[in-house]
């Protein structure tokens, strides 16, 4: 029988499945089968986030406008992180900010916790007016930020990138040049939902981030080209709802697969997808998920630092 065991940036995990940041409240529901838990993005200071409503269904997905609501770094580090550590799975801490110094402060604080195996730099949130995505759409700023944060921790540093750029290869390469150990692709696409009765935006924040099956081809494209450009290990996500989707992301170049929007409709999706992927690996004669990574690429472009 094949095994789902996966190594990512030197970290051994029981499977290739993680949650998308902000899509799972593990302190309420538990980890629901993910091999590592990705926290909601935390910022230096507390944020209330955008006004409600914050989520609206759309065909083949949803639009959200949370606005990085979080308790702030101090409370997260003192209260939430110790409780998350008791869940028994490795933690990937997601951090955001409005300057390199804010990111660096957060990276140093959360990266020092023994349960944190990697830090995710959210440079791609579309639901705030400045910071995050304004950094992550500029290669120079992305490179400088990653370089600044890389010096603040001994754990792997991952850059979560936006698809809302002209060339994802340029941003991915900049992150790699700054010292990123891995990439996370993709964050949501900018979108808006209109109320058909009032003809006003459904979300309190106006626009938001589109996720779900509708964005999967965009996500696969980003993963494929970021992998080809950098060779870095990638957490691929965007519309994953089963093993067939997961296999596509692995083939495109992802080492880990994130599941997000599907969790809202099916809390058992990770466990089901894990069982389906085992069956798929056995059918293909593969010993593990690693044998599917980047198989969609030409043989000369599959170098990996996983």
């Amino acid at each position: 029988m094949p095994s789902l065991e996966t190594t990512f940036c030197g970290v051994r995990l029981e499977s290739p499945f993680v949650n998308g940041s902000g899509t799972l409240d593990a302190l309420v529901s538990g980890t629901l089968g993910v091999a590592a838990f990705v926290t909601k993005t935390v910022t230096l200071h507390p944020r209330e986030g955008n006004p409600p409503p914050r989520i609206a269904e759309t065909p083949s997905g949803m639009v959200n406008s949370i606005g990085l609501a979080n308790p702030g770094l101090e409370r997260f580090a003192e209260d939430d992180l110790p409780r998350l550590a008791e869940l028994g799975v490795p933690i990937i801490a997601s951090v955001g900010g409005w300057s390199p110094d804010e990111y660096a402060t957060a990276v140093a604080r959360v990266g020092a916790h023994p349960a944190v195996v990697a830090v995710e730099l959210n440079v791609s949130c579309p639901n705030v007016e400045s910071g995050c995505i304004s950094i992550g759409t500029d290669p120079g700023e992305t490179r400088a930020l990653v370089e600044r944060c890389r010096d603040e921790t001994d754990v792997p540093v991952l850059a979560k990138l936006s698809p809302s750029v002209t060339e994802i290869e340029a941003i991915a390469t900049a992150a790699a040049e700054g010292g990123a150990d891995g990439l996370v692709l993709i964050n949501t696409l900018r979108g808006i939902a209109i109320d058909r009765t009032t003809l006003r935006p459904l979300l309190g924040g106006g626009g938001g981030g589109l996720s779900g099956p509708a964005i999967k081809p965009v996500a696969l494209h980003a993963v494929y080209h970021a992998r080809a450009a950098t060779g870095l290990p990638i957490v691929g996500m965007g519309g994953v709802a089963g093993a067939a989707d997961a296999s596509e992301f692995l083939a495109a170049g992802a080492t880990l697969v994130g599941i997000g929007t599907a969790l809202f409709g099916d809390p058992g999706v990770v466990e089901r997808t894990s069982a389906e992927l085992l069956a798929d690996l056995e059918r293909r004669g593969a010993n593990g998920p690693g044998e599917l990574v980047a198989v969609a690429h030409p043989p000369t472009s599959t170098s990996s630092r996983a």
Side-chain angles (χ1 to χ4, degrees), residues 161-165 167-170 172 183-187 189 215-230 234-237 249 252-254 297:
L161 305 182
S162 169
S164 300
V165 295
E167 292 186 10
I168 193 66
E169 300 95 326
L183 304 173
V184 183
L185 298 159
I186 59 175
N187 209 322
L189 287 159
I215 72 169
K216 191 176 80 168
V218 177
L220 289 170
H221 178 275
V223 169
Y224 185 97
H225 288 283
R227 172 71 178 221
T230 68
I234 292 173
V235 184
M237 65 183 71
F249 274 92
H297 292 247

Side-chain angles (χ1 to χ4, degrees), residues 14-34:
E14 293 183 357
S15 83
F17 296 111
V18 300
N19 61 292
S21 173
T23 63
L24 174 62
D25 188 345
L27 292 177
V28 174
S29 63
T31 57
L32 299 183
V34 296

Side-chain angles (χ1 to χ4, degrees), residues 248-272:
E248 291 179 51
F249 274 92
L250 294 171
T255 302
L256 298 185
V257 177
I259 299 179
T261 301
L263 284 165
F264 288 83
D266 179 10
V269 63
V270 178
E271 294 180 348
R272 172 176 56 78

